Amino acid sequence: MSSPERWTAARPDSPAATAATPTAEQVIAGLRATSEGGADLVQLLTPEGERVTHPDFDIDIEPAQLRALYRDMVLVRRVDRESNALQRKGELALWVPLLGQEAAQVGAGRAMRPQDMAFPSYREHGVAWCRGIDPTDLLGIFRGTDHGSWDPIEKRFGLYTIVIGNQVLNAAGYAMGQRFDGKVGNSDAEGNPAADDEATMCFFGDGATSQGDVHEGFVWAAVYDAPLVFFCQNNQWAISEPTERQSRLPLYQRARGYGFPGVRVDGNDVLACLAVSRWALKECRRGNGPVLIEAFTYRMDAHTTTDDPTRYRLSDEVEEWKLKDPIERVRAYLARNGLADAAFFEQIQEESDQLAVRLREFCVNIPDPPPDRIFANVYAEANPVLERQREDMLGYLAGFGGEH
Amino acid sequence: MAAPTLDSSAKPQQITMAKAINAGLRAAMDADPKVLVMGEDVGKLGGVFRITDGLQKDFGEHRVLDTPLAESGIIGTAIGLAIRGYRPVCEIQFDGFIFPAFDQIVSQLAKLHYRSQGKLKMPIVVRVPFGGGIGSVEHHSESPESYFAHTAGLRVVSCSNPVDAYWMIQQAIDSDDPVLFFEPKRQYYSSKAELDTSITPQPLHTSRVLRSGAHATLASYGPSVKVCLDSAAAAAQDGIDLEVIDLRSLSPLDLDPVYASVRRTGHLVLVSESPGEASLNSEIVSRVSQECFYSLQAPVLRVNGFDTPYPPSKLEEDFLPDLDRVLHTVDRSLAW
Ligand SMILES: Cc1ncc(C[n+]2csc(CCOP(=O)(O)OP(=O)(O)O)c2C)c(N)n1
Ligand SMILES: [Mg+2]
């Protein structure tokens, strides 16, 4: 992958679409098809569960590792479905489903080393899982009890960022810091990065690529050679707007204009996502960053629990993508090749049931924060104006004798 | 241009505000290797106002960064660097160009400590040369400080003289909170003051009585402080004794000295170049009328820029508060 010519090869013979190429039948049916990623799509496990090879990105993986990836995806999906249900029951104010994006997130998340840093947007429950964030720690945001409860520095996982694109610049700055701290480019003679070399991964959507902050993030990371992997999950939709509304060019091809590699990977193929992410992170640790990865995937559920996708997309499209389910293909591969038996699948099922119970119980028992939490941590240092407002509020509430 | 280091003998010396800020930055960078200076043209050129002159030469390109031309990028990456443990000092080239960074400042910089429940500190200083009176084209003379004082999570200060500038920039860099640091650009080189580096400066978020007087109080900040001092000197010749307070800290406001003054004088005039609608001065009017209701002998009056875009520079003399408008307003207050 050294030659820039390879990064984002234009292929007039088989143009990669911004979203994907509709078949003739689909065009006739008036369908906007999104299911084909084009000739540059990196894939290692087909939707049917066939292992295929790739000249640039391949991966040696033990059955145990593959089973672990399967487990991750099943549990992450269960967290997602359970949280969605909790919203339906009124226990959460909102949920942002990741259904369909498990492979992209687990593949990327498991490619990271402990010392690497991640900057998520708001749908990255699978990456959070890989960074060791307990799923219960995500609930406060959606129940309205906090804005995020984990320690971003300890977990190496930034806060969920709702303002589209903001985190991309924050990630670029963090990655610049990794470089300034000498944590990049300490490879040995074989080109293997040192054990404590670092990189950063930044997550955003297809819609986010239109934001100025993402463009600026590309520019900054490039000119400072920052060890930053831009991981764009193209789930084909930004709420109701298709990727064509964001770009003429397939998103991965944008990288070339900024002077770094861009790769489109099958975002429903956990092996390919792991392989491409590992490669990209290694390139970054070696001082060859940044890298853009476009994970070509699909948002199987609504944008959030308040969205109604029937207003803007056809169920045929969803049906098409169901055939590319990220979990089913791994299950098929494991089962067909005798790498996992029925007991394994049962055990994962049981584990996921237990997780769901734990999540439910935790959620309904989250206490409401005390009123003066409003004032906590606005500033790191004392602020007399806020201190006074806090006292006024507590005095006012005390006037109700605890009845308020 | 030689690097404007301070005379190594610690004896008091005469310096401009530009040199004072430079010396303050230099002292902060010497004291802490995590302090970075970043912005457009701040390195080789030393900034368009030469405030960072010589810093890149002395501290290297990794401590003084000539950044790409993107203000959201400057603040956005400074936030990431702060998460990484750095203490960035960002320069926004001119007041009118802070708006591309407004989103990062308001959405992330101001909120990250709160959103992370105190786990992420944001020790970032955003230096903004501000204010008018330099005969410049549009977007180069604005006073956007009220936007930031309105935003929870930010601290906002403005210096009015070289001595304060020297200390306040260091105190701002020392703060674990984000500080918007407004520098009155037309005073960068307009005068010198004697700097004695051996004293202990007053705390950053405190205002100061610069001149005491019995008849009325003028409160101001940044470039308008000098207008107030000049007005007080002129008024004295007519036997009117004006007290002048430099607010220095715009968020949080330190109004106790203002209340104390108003309780004595009964008259308060606020002076600022920014448009007055929903501005810092409106806030001060509200608080003073609450705290000093029975001491006031006239409503609090304001001398502000007008509620218009900053005008073409041929008109700026009529836009900016000047001695005549200040004294005219003092007269109205005293005659109430
Ligand atoms: C700056 C900004 N504008 C608008 C929104 C409202 N909004 C939330 S998500 C979204 C679509 C984002 O699409 P994409 O980047 O593809 O991410 P996805 O939700 O598909 O994961 C919009 C418009 C926002 N959060 N931030
Ligand atoms: Mg999307």
Side-chain angles (χ1 to χ4, degrees), chain A residues 146 148-149 151 160 166 169-170 173-174 177-178 180-181 198 213 216 220 224 374 376-377 379-382 388, chain B residues 66-67 70 72-74 76-77 80-81 84 86 103-104 108 113-115 117 119 153-155 175-177 291:
Chain A
D146 60 50
S149 57
D151 184 334
Y160 272 12
N166 275 178
L169 276 170
N170 305 156
Y174 190 92
Q178 290 175 316
F180 295 167
D181 290 348
E198 297 183 29
D213 275 13
E216 288 182 34
W220 285 68
Y224 287 105
I374 292 171
N377 294 306
Y379 294 93
E381 296 169 3
R388 169 112 179 244
Chain B
D66 271 328
T67 67
S72 191
I74 293 172
T77 55
L81 284 160
R84 183 73 194 177
Y86 287 88
D103 175 27
Q104 283 284 348
Q108 302 302 333
H113 190 263
Y114 190 70
R115 293 172 54 226
Q117 299 176 32
K119 294 178 189 92
L154 302 176
R155 293 172 181 274
S175 172
D176 275 343
D177 286 314
E291 296 295 324

Side-chain angles (χ1 to χ4, degrees), chain A residues 205-207 233 235-238:
Chain A
D206 45 289
Q233 290 169 82
N235 62 9
Q236 315 300 331
W237 294 96

Side-chain angles (χ1 to χ4, degrees), chain B residues 6 8-9 45 70 138 158 182 185 199 227 265 309 323 332:
Chain B
L6 282 178
S8 53
S9 61
L45 181 67
E138 56 180 337
S158 182
F182 284 93
K185 66 169 92 75
I199 60 142
V227 177
T265 65
L323 185 145
R332 277 175 60 216

